[in-house]
Amino acid sequence: MNRTMEYAQSLGLLLAVLAVACGAAAAPAAETQAVAGAPIATQVPATAETPEQFAQRLRWWREARFGMFIHWGLYAIPAGQWGTGTDHGEWIRETAHIPIEEYDRFVAQFNPVRFDANAWVRVAQEAGMRYIVITSKHHDGFCLFDSALTDYDVMSTPFRRDIMKELSDACRRQGLRMCWYHSIMDWHHPDYLPRRSWESRSAEGADFGRYVQHLRGQVEELLTKYGDIGVMWFDGQWEDTWTHEYGQPLYDLCRQLQPNVIINDRVDKGHLARGRAGKGHFAGDYGTPEQMIPSAAILDVPWETCMTLNRHWGYNRLDEDWKSSTELIRMLVDIASKGGNFLLNVGPTAEGEFPPACVERLQAMGAWLAVNGESIYATSAGPFPPQAWGRCTQTAPEGGGTRLYLHVFDWPMDGQLAIGGLFNEARGAYLLADAQRKPLAVARAEDALVVKLPATAPDAVDTVVVLDIAGAPDVTEPPAISAEHMVFVDKLEVTVRPPRENTEIRYTIDGSAPTASSPLVEGPISLTKTTTVRARCFRAGRPVSAPAVAVFTQVALRPASSAEGAQPGLKYEYYEGDWDRLPDFTRLTPVKTGRCPDFDFSQRNQAEHFGFRYSGLVTVPQDGMYRFTVASDDGSRLYIGDTLVVDNDGLHSLQATAGEVPLAAGAHTIRVEFFERTGDDALEVRYAGPGVKDQRIPTAALSSR
Ligand code: H79
């Protein structure tokens, strides 16, 4: 929960007290008791603030949009390699099971002679980044700053320079905000618990409370010795030892030391920006999606996606899997269009330099921002969800109206950019990159404003079109047409939902376009044959959304097969090999074959590099659509007869995929293929349909001849 919400909740309590005091309708007993038991004063923490104060405190950060993450520490020395393993990063001590004494030897080797704080900050500055978050300490416990509370810091290395001091001074000089990433989890401090499961280091005498005091002491150092700090970015809060009882006071400590500091949600146990903060109060100002961009805008909490430039946070010498500058620019735009910030990571080398591949990409981002920054900084989420043509951000300029920044990723072939469902009147349009602001023609075509563009895209990555409109955006999404299945046997109920309440929706089922005289949607629509449903929002006889269309197909039931002579259980063929997707098993020779009760792979001879092909019959109780779901790690496929119903192939961790098929009551041939390369393994086959609640297919429904 963020401060705003917490404040609102305190306010709610206060109102409840007033209501009771004024003899208004009695509040529920539990609520009254809670109020009686806790004096209001303690309900409002010292860090409480109004929503306006909260917005004001976060303002620079929300306007900044783009920051640099830096993961740097002892792990830059092995650079991802340990023994034969080459895929390690900042987690190397854990992922390679390196004993503490051995890892500590890196301290004597840490000597980044090429480190130049000004040069780093310049790269960030030129990339268009407005703040830097660096690992003052990562999970390994090593501190890049001069801490009076531990010798496990940069002052014990041959380098002996307070890197964090140099960097914070350089940031201040160049106008960027300095921010700390400080890990709560600590694999080095003797009082931190729990120990890693593989470690032999004794936990005897360890006192987690004492560790928390140490952590708080370091936070105090970081917030008193380095000037104004923009953000405290905590991490490694998920182990059971860290609780809300530690998280809230740590949050409060930061705000007491620097009232304007911004603190991420990992200070506590709640997840902002995952749709919920969990039950109860959790400290933290903003949510932190990691390595992912939310699919839709998040407007109720501030959030920031953090992401790597290749596959690792800490420097990995062999990781050349760089995101392209096109991808990165579009990610920044995508995030901005959804109301978030982008914290993009660089893992410097042990010599103290940014890898050249990072610098190249950051320069490309900076070049784009130098021209188009106005469409990113201090903008807010656009009024539309992601569009086929690109994304949208917006500002509310002085003097009224709204400025829409249309980020065109896919340039229209006919040069006509149609912005559907936009009711407002256009005031003008031009290309942001055009210093002359040569007007682009804008015309209305039903629900859409159509901007006439040059024939080819001036910037193939993202050309920004400025579209000024009168008033606040008045946007109407197409209606949502849905049904339980897209195919059906006898009849189907289709629901058409409005994008918002009190919207007039008209529809057709004869293939024609809905008009102002088409029937109104007033309930579910029943279909008894293959039908194209079209629906559209209207206002006063005028279409205000793009039309929505969905096709529902009537299908024949797959006739049942005879189950004569079948016995309980499936037949299996077991194979061995090193695949990254399902092979054509029919061209391979099984290592062995046999029978098993269900989709069970315990008959394997080895834990990795194997495959199974199961075949038999599955019996369903009634006629109708059945949904099969296969969850597997790694890939799998499910066939009914010769029809591929579920394709869950490929190398992946546990992932579920579903498919549907119309079945007549009775037995149907089923075949499931599955392979496992390395790592975790799993296979689960489920079904659901008439007479069957979603469940693992029971052995009683499986048989084979
Ligand atoms: O600091 C970066 C990561 O080290 C940290 N957060 C970002 C900002 C982070 N800690 N945990 N996680 C991310 C998620 C856990 C990932 C793990 Fe693994 C999977 C830990 C062990 C298995 C990734 C893969 C790390 C090592 C192997």
Side-chain angles (χ1 to χ4, degrees):
M1 180 181 304
N2 66 32
R3 303 281 101 201
T4 321
M5 294 154 78
E6 203 158 89
Y7 177 80
Q9 216 172 65
S10 314
L11 206 66
L13 274 174
L14 199 64
L15 291 176
V17 174
L18 285 176
V20 172
C22 301
E31 214 169 298
T32 322
Q33 262 170 21
V35 170
I40 291 296
T42 64
Q43 299 284 342
V44 184
T47 47
E49 57 195 347
T50 63
E52 291 73 30
Q53 288 167 331
F54 175 73
Q56 189 55 33
R57 179 162 58 87
L58 268 76
R59 187 170 162 176
W60 73 264
W61 180 84
R62 299 200 80 165
E63 293 186 348
R65 290 281 125 144
F66 189 27
M68 175 182 276
F69 218 172
I70 303 179
H71 276 71
W72 203 32
L74 298 178
Y75 41 80
I77 298 169
Q81 282 189 281
W82 193 258
T84 55
T86 57
D87 205 26
H88 304 289
E90 72 292 346
W91 275 68
I92 191 165
R93 191 170 158 240
E94 159 83 9
T95 50
H97 295 189
I98 306 177
I100 197 161
E101 319 75 52
E102 209 163 334
Y103 192 80
D104 288 354
R105 280 183 217 139
F106 292 134
V107 174
Q109 295 170 43
F110 190 76
N111 195 17
V113 291
R114 303 184 75 90
F115 170 70
D116 174 350
N118 286 319
W120 282 17
V121 176
R122 201 172 318 116
V123 172
Q125 165 94 289
E126 287 174 3
M129 293 159 153
R130 301 265 166 105
Y131 56 105
I132 295 180
V133 184
I134 185 163
T135 48
S136 47
K137 179 189 86 168
H138 203 265
H139 308 331
D140 63 0
F142 178 75
C143 298
L144 279 182
F145 66 107
D146 179 4
S147 173
L149 303 175
T150 180
D151 287 336
Y152 200 53
D153 70 355
V154 70
M155 301 317 274
S156 302
T157 69
F159 199 54
R160 279 185 57 83
R161 275 158 56 182
D162 188 344
I163 291 169
M164 300 293 99
K165 186 87 185 67
E166 293 181 24
L167 207 57
S168 54
D169 288 346
C171 272
R172 208 151 293 122
R173 274 196 299 275
Q174 299 188 46
L176 274 78
R177 305 262 186 163
M178 185 79 251
C179 311
W180 305 130
Y181 168 108
H182 204 70
S183 175
I184 289 170
M185 181 157 76
D186 190 317
W187 303 330
H188 193 270
H189 197 282
D191 281 324
Y192 182 83
L193 292 170
R195 296 279 188 263
R196 315 318 297 161
S197 59
W198 51 268
E199 239 188 323
S200 54
R201 199 158 55 107
S202 162
E204 217 183 288
D207 177 346
F208 192 76
R210 207 159 54 198
Y211 170 72
V212 176
Q213 281 314 313
H214 166 81
L215 173 66
R216 290 172 60 94
Q218 288 203 323
V219 165
E220 185 167 348
E221 294 183 313
L222 290 166
L223 288 174
T224 53
K225 292 171 55 184
Y226 299 89
D228 281 351
I229 296 304
V231 172
M232 289 299 288
W233 213 107
F234 291 102
D235 198 8
Q237 82 295 4
W238 58 84
E239 296 198 296
D240 289 344
T241 40
W242 189 255
T243 62
H244 172 64
E245 281 59 47
Y246 293 124
Q248 181 72 56
L250 183 58
Y251 177 95
D252 294 340
L253 174 68
C254 295
R255 293 282 310 286
Q256 275 149 22
L257 293 166
Q258 292 205 12
N260 292 321
V261 73
I262 299 169
I263 302 147
N264 74 343
D265 60 348
R266 302 192 192 184
V267 70
D268 200 343
K269 305 297 272 192
H271 285 282
L272 294 175
R274 261 200 212 163
R276 45 146 217 121
K279 281 206 169 111
H281 292 257
F282 287 104
D285 295 326
Y286 71 90
T288 51
E290 179 165 329
Q291 299 284 44
M292 61 85 75
I293 300 175
S295 58
I298 300 177
L299 302 176
D300 55 342
V301 291
W303 58 277
E304 173 193 70
T305 281
C306 58
M307 201 172 278
T308 51
L309 269 166
N310 50 2
R311 288 185 298 104
H312 295 85
W313 300 96
Y315 179 62
N316 180 301
R317 196 164 56 79
L318 297 176
D319 182 355
E320 292 291 345
D321 202 358
W322 303 102
K323 296 176 180 73
S324 71
S325 49
T326 299
E327 274 177 278
L328 292 162
I329 290 165
R330 289 181 176 181
M331 282 175 167
L332 173 63
V333 170
D334 186 24
I335 290 168
S337 81
K338 293 167 181 170
N341 278 22
F342 194 21
L343 185 62
L344 185 57
N345 182 72
V346 175
T349 66
E351 290 70 46
E353 289 182 308
F354 289 173
C358 296
V359 179
E360 279 164 33
R361 282 154 183 79
L362 295 179
Q363 280 172 347
M365 296 184 83
W368 184 86
L369 277 164
V371 174
N372 299 289
E374 182 194 320
S375 68
I376 300 291
Y377 304 119
T379 63
S380 49
F384 323 104
Q387 301 288 305
W389 50 261
R391 300 289 183 273
C392 182
T393 53
Q394 62 176 324
T395 55
E398 278 177 37
T402 303
R403 175 158 289 183
L404 298 178
Y405 296 98
L406 310 171
H407 296 262
V408 187
F409 297 168
D410 280 312
W411 201 252
M413 299 277 267
D414 60 359
Q416 310 277 327
L417 179 66
I419 314 300
L422 184 58
F423 195 77
N424 306 69
E425 191 188 307
R427 285 182 170 171
Y430 57 89
L431 297 176
L432 184 57
D434 176 8
Q436 266 70 55
R437 299 193 170 188
K438 191 161 100 40
L440 300 173
V442 187
R444 174 157 294 281
E446 299 198 324
D447 61 292
L449 280 180
V450 182
V451 185
K452 177 90 178 74
L453 300 178
T456 56
D459 185 336
V461 175
D462 174 10
T463 299
V464 181
V465 177
V466 176
L467 174 58
D468 283 319
I469 56 172
D474 182 356
V475 172
T476 308
E477 295 300 313
I481 306 176
S482 63
E484 199 180 343
H485 308 283
M486 296 306 286
V487 295
F488 63 102
V489 178
D490 299 317
K491 58 180 191 308
L492 185 70
E493 295 239 300
V494 172
T495 310
V496 181
R497 264 186 303 271
R500 58 186 180 200
E501 277 175 51
N502 301 322
T503 307
E504 175 187 324
I505 308 176
R506 296 179 183 273
Y507 75 102
T508 63
I509 51 171
D510 62 1
S512 66
T515 66
S517 52
S518 301
L520 278 171
V521 172
E522 279 165 329
I525 303 164
S526 292
L527 306 183
T528 53
K529 60 178 199 308
T530 294
T531 305
T532 300
V533 178
R534 292 177 201 271
R536 193 170 193 182
C537 302
F538 287 80
R539 206 183 288 172
R542 194 180 137 182
V544 291
S545 80
V549 56
V551 182
F552 299 95
T553 311
Q554 188 175 37
V555 288
L557 290 174
R558 183 178 194 281
S561 325
S562 157
E564 221 178 86
Q567 315 157 27
L570 296 171
K571 293 199 289 199
Y572 75 80
E573 292 152 19
Y574 168 77
Y575 300 86
E576 288 175 357
D578 184 7
W579 311 290
D580 53 18
R581 41 195 318 109
L582 282 167
D584 181 354
F585 285 126
T586 60
R587 307 181 67 148
L588 303 177
T589 310
V591 174
K592 64 177 177 179
T593 61
R595 300 183 65 87
C596 51
D598 58 11
F599 304 96
D600 149 45
F601 56 85
S602 59
Q603 299 299 320
R604 64 187 171 179
N605 292 351
Q606 55 195 32
E608 297 183 332
H609 302 114
F610 65 84
F612 273 86
R613 188 166 183 264
Y614 306 89
S615 52
L617 297 163
V618 59
T619 303
V620 297
Q622 297 172 29
D623 289 356
M625 290 299 303
Y626 284 83
R627 169 182 287 124
F628 289 85
T629 307
V630 187
S632 66
D633 172 0
D634 295 292
S636 57
R637 280 190 173 137
L638 180 149
Y639 297 82
I640 298 292
D642 289 325
T643 308
L644 176 60
V645 177
V646 181
D647 189 351
N648 193 18
D649 197 11
L651 265 189
H652 50 70
S653 53
L654 187 59
Q655 164 181 306
T657 305
E660 293 169 347
V661 57
L663 300 179
H668 297 267
T669 58
I670 183 170
R671 193 170 84 238
V672 170
E673 300 176 347
F674 164 64
F675 82 99
E676 159 63 13
R677 190 152 85 165
T678 57
D680 290 342
D681 50 51
L683 175 64
E684 184 181 88
V685 185
R686 308 178 66 83
Y687 72 158
V692 177
K693 273 207 292 231
D694 181 41
Q695 61 186 279
R696 195 186 256 266
I697 304 180
T699 52
L702 296 169
S703 60
S704 55
R705 273 187 287 269

